[in-house]
Amino acid sequence: MSEAAINNLTIGTGATLAPPQFDDPYQQRLHDKQRLAAAFRAFALYGFDEGLAGHITVRDAVEPETFWVNPLALHFSLIKASHLVRVDHHGNVVEGDAMVNKAAFAIHSRVHQSHPSINAVAHSHSRYGRAFAALGQPLQPISQDACMFFENHAVYDDFGGVVMELDEGQRIANSLGANCAAILQNHGLLTVGSSVDAACANFIIMDSCCHSQLLAQAAGELKLIRPEVARQAKQITASELVTWGNFQPLYQKLLSQDASFLD
C-alpha cells in the first residue's frame, strides 16, 4: 500500500496504518498463522461457529502451494496458531497432526490454486449469510458498507450438496472471478482477501450487510445508491488498506482479552 493511498484516507500524524512487510518468509508465516488463529477467535465472537462447519485458510508464505487451515472439531474460540494444519493442493497434510474438514480442502484448495493473488479465504454458515443465500440474489448498494460489494461479489447458484468433491470446489472458485466474495446459494458466504485480516473483516461486514438487507426488504422498498456513487464508495471501502484496516480494532480487542491464540 503506497504512502499516497494512506495519506488520502487519513489526517493528522501518528503511527502509520499499513499492513506489515516481512523480508523473511518464515516471519511472514508466523504472522499469518497468528492472524489466522485470531480470525477464528473473531468468528467465535460473532457466533459464526456451528458444529463442524466453517473454515478460514491462509496461503503459506514459505511454500505457497500449501495453505494453513483449522483442525477438525476444535472450537473456534480455542484455536491457537500451534493448532493449525498445513495442507497441499493434492489433499496431503504436510504439517500438523489433526484431521481436516474435507469440504474445507475441496473449496479452499481450488480457490487458492485458481487465484494466486488470493492469500486468504473465509467461509462459514453464519445466520444472516445463510438466510440471505436462500434468496439467490446479490447484495444491493443500500448503504456505504454494502457498496464495498457492489459489482464485487458473485452469486453461485449451483448448490450440489455438501462440498466433498474437487469439481464442486472448482466451480465455486470459477464463479468467484475477480470479486472479493461470493454468496453460495442455499449454503452461506465466502470471502477472500490478500490477507487473513481482509478476508475475515470482509466476511463480518458481508454478514452484517446481509442482515441489513433482510431487514430493509422486510420493511419496504429498497432505495438504492446510484451506481456511480456506489462505485466511488467501493474504491475506498474495498481497497486493500481499508479491508485490512477493518480488522485491526477487532484484533486489538482479541489481543487484550486473551492472547493465547498467539501460541
Side-chain angles (χ1 to χ4, degrees):
M1 180 60 60
S2 69
E3 184 176 349
I6 296 170
N7 290 338
N8 284 339
L9 296 175
T10 60
I11 60 173
T13 59
T16 299
L17 178 70
Q21 302 295 320
F22 297 93
D23 294 326
D24 183 349
Y26 288 93
Q27 290 183 347
Q28 180 77 59
R29 171 190 277 178
L30 176 60
H31 170 83
D32 290 345
K33 289 178 65 180
Q34 290 176 334
R35 291 295 170 128
L36 181 56
F40 284 112
R41 299 292 181 98
F43 267 36
L45 187 65
Y46 277 86
F48 296 159
D49 51 309
E50 187 168 300
L52 301 179
H55 11 88
I56 314 172
T57 56
V58 65
R59 188 186 302 276
D60 184 55
V62 179
E63 298 182 33
E65 295 305 307
T66 66
F67 59 91
W68 295 92
V69 64
N70 50 307
L72 182 69
L74 180 59
H75 195 271
F76 289 176
S77 67
L78 303 176
I79 290 179
K80 302 177 181 180
S82 57
H83 291 141
L84 299 171
V85 180
R86 187 158 63 93
V87 182
D88 68 18
H89 292 163
H90 303 290
N92 301 306
V93 173
V94 296
E95 192 168 344
D97 58 1
M99 291 188 293
V100 171
N101 188 317
K102 190 173 183 180
F105 166 71
I107 297 172
H108 292 242
S109 68
R110 299 307 95 180
V111 174
H112 282 295
Q113 190 171 52
S114 300
H115 302 279
S117 64
I118 291 174
N119 287 322
V121 184
H123 169 63
S124 178
H125 302 171
S126 59
R127 179 177 302 164
Y128 301 115
R130 185 169 53 194
F132 192 84
L135 300 175
Q137 61 182 241
L139 283 168
Q140 297 295 338
I142 61 172
S143 68
Q144 176 176 297
D145 300 302
C147 286
M148 73 175 291
F149 302 106
F150 182 65
E151 298 175 342
N152 196 25
H153 72 291
V155 177
Y156 177 73
D157 61 2
D158 188 23
F159 178 68
V162 178
V163 182
M164 303 300 287
E165 303 298 332
L166 292 179
D167 288 349
E168 176 83 357
Q170 188 62 57
R171 288 193 292 273
I172 291 173
N174 292 344
S175 74
L176 181 64
N179 299 302
C180 77
I183 295 171
L184 310 182
Q185 185 175 303
N186 307 114
H187 189 171
L189 307 179
L190 182 141
T191 59
V192 300
S194 59
S195 64
V196 173
D197 308 59
C200 181
N202 288 350
F203 192 99
I204 292 169
I205 294 170
M206 191 176 204
D207 187 76
S208 178
C209 287
C210 288
H211 188 190
S212 296
Q213 187 166 325
L214 288 168
L215 291 173
Q217 286 181 166
E221 181 183 355
L222 298 178
K223 302 299 183 183
L224 305 186
I225 296 170
R226 298 193 310 276
E228 65 273 18
V229 177
R231 292 188 188 102
Q232 184 275 341
K234 180 183 65 174
Q235 288 182 343
I236 297 172
T237 58
S239 68
E240 183 178 342
L241 175 61
V242 171
T243 54
W244 172 85
N246 283 334
F247 186 68
Q248 305 319 303
L250 179 56
Y251 181 79
Q252 295 162 16
K253 178 179 180 178
L254 294 167
L255 198 61
S256 69
Q257 291 180 339
D258 179 5
S260 64
F261 61 83
L262 297 174
D263 297 342

